[in-house]
Amino acid sequence: MHCQPDDGPLSSRVISIVMPVRNAANTLEAAVGSILNQTFADWELLTVNDGSTDETAAMLEDFTRRDPRVKVIHTPPQGIAKALQTGCTTAAGEWIARMDADDTMHPERLAAQWDHAMQNPELDVVSCLVEYGGGTAGYAAHVDWINSLRTPDEIALRRFIESPVAHPSVMFRRSLLDRHGGYRDGDFPEDYELWLRWLDADARFGKVPRELLLWNDPPSRLSRTDPRYAVEQFYRTKCRYLARWLRTNVEPARNLWLWGAGRITRRRFDALEAEGCRFEGFIDVDPKKSNRHRDGRRVRMADDLPETEDNFIVTGVGNRGARETIHAFLTARGWIEGRDFIMAA
């Protein structure tokens, strides 16, 4: 049985659920219904109606009449980052839980995440495993990868591959907003930038090892339609924080090598070099590139790795299966993840 605080006045709800909404009339009943069915009762739901033109506004107002814990903030269209920040600024809870209007919660999601947070007081962010709601094979593989990261160390170490948590699955301390800032609006993925910024500030992320959110992938999802979620924007964002990590964790005397000598891989990491992290050369497995030069620098084959003591590898190949193969190859040869190499694709 989870330890739930006694019910208090609405102004002191311990968890504030922030849910931005725009034209979600088709999915809103299921999403809000799954919140109303939570076994954990000490919450408020802050819905930010971001300029909807369908029946969303009327539906949200109806929910406020059905349950006084539901609140609505109506705004002109301002975009998801500003809508999220509006909700977070209004939140009264000690913890903020995220939710999207096209997903659904398991009835025990809030209870399980609250218990996990109370049992692990060193954590600042508590996520959970997610169930994939259907869509493309690529997204399904992404869900499998996210669900494979369960410990704080795994989440922190693999954060430069992709976003290590599903955005609507998280619950975080409200104090993080005051200490390290909240959602920023710009030409980048607002959630990934936030996780990287908080992790850079040594925030601790954990996960409940249970599937507690049905994460749907409709064709209209912003990650599919908005240019700020393009691959190039993810790399530009991650490279900024990867550069900070490298400067902190890799001795200046060690040479940096990029695993992946292809043009696409090299161009994606131009942003890292723009941050002052220049690669000594490249590593590849294609024999046609052996002893060739790219951008004026040498290409070494995988069976001709430099010495670990004076060199550090950033792995930049993200093809399905290649990431795992490279990790196993380096580990078998004594290279230690986080000390001698970092996975970044």
Side-chain angles (χ1 to χ4, degrees), residues 86-328:
T86 296
C88 289
T89 301
T90 309
E94 176 187 353
W95 288 79
I96 294 176
R98 275 284 292 112
M99 181 63 175
D100 283 341
D102 50 11
D103 299 322
T104 56
M105 293 184 184
H106 185 284
E108 296 180 359
R109 176 195 164 182
L110 294 182
Q113 289 184 292
W114 173 261
D115 281 352
H116 196 74
M118 295 304 101
Q119 293 163 12
N120 299 275
E122 76 282 2
L123 295 180
D124 300 292
V125 181
V126 176
S127 179
C128 63
L129 307 188
V130 297
E131 178 184 357
Y132 181 54
T136 66
Y139 224 90
H142 178 59
V143 168
D144 289 341
W145 177 78
I146 280 182
N147 284 346
S148 74
L149 306 181
R150 304 195 177 193
T151 69
D153 288 344
E154 288 172 341
I155 293 170
L157 199 56
R158 305 289 173 83
R159 67 186 186 263
F160 299 115
I161 296 175
E162 296 182 63
S163 180
V165 292
H167 192 185
S169 76
V170 301
M171 186 178 84
F172 56 82
R173 295 183 186 274
R174 194 186 189 285
S175 59
L176 286 174
L177 302 172
D178 298 325
R179 299 203 311 266
H180 308 304
Y183 292 94
R184 293 175 178 171
D185 188 30
D187 59 347
F188 48 79
E190 79 291 331
D191 55 338
Y192 191 31
E193 192 279 334
L194 187 68
W195 313 147
L196 290 173
R197 179 162 23 104
W198 285 356
L199 285 162
D200 183 64
D202 294 326
R204 295 280 286 174
F205 283 53
K207 278 185 186 175
V208 178
R210 292 174 56 192
E211 292 183 356
L212 297 170
L213 179 83
L214 180 64
W215 197 25
N216 291 310
D217 182 31
S220 59
R221 197 179 192 95
L222 281 178
S223 58
R224 291 183 172 280
T225 62
D226 195 308
R228 76 185 68 189
Y229 303 105
V231 171
E232 292 74 20
Q233 301 302 79
F234 270 90
Y235 274 89
R236 188 163 61 89
T237 301
K238 81 164 72 176
C239 283
R240 185 165 72 253
Y241 288 98
L242 176 56
R244 292 171 59 89
W245 186 92
L246 290 170
R247 284 193 288 268
T248 301
N249 293 278
V250 180
E251 298 87 344
R254 297 180 82 178
N255 298 315
L256 288 181
W257 293 79
L258 177 63
W259 190 305
R263 184 181 62 84
I264 292 177
T265 299
R266 288 183 288 117
R267 294 293 76 82
R268 284 175 173 171
F269 285 92
D270 280 346
L272 186 61
E273 297 208 289
E275 294 285 342
C277 299
R278 179 172 172 79
F279 293 112
E280 178 74 13
F282 308 96
I283 298 169
D284 212 291
V285 296
D286 184 355
K288 295 179 181 178
K289 300 173 184 174
S290 179
N291 292 318
R292 302 282 295 274
H293 286 73
R294 295 289 186 272
D295 300 334
R297 285 164 284 183
R298 179 186 174 188
V299 179
R300 301 179 72 140
M301 292 293 98
D303 58 4
D304 183 30
L305 293 177
E307 296 296 324
T308 57
E309 290 79 6
D310 300 320
N311 299 278
F312 187 94
I313 295 174
V314 175
T315 72
V317 179
N319 296 339
R320 191 170 302 172
R323 179 191 303 149
E324 293 76 15
T325 299
I326 293 171
H327 186 281

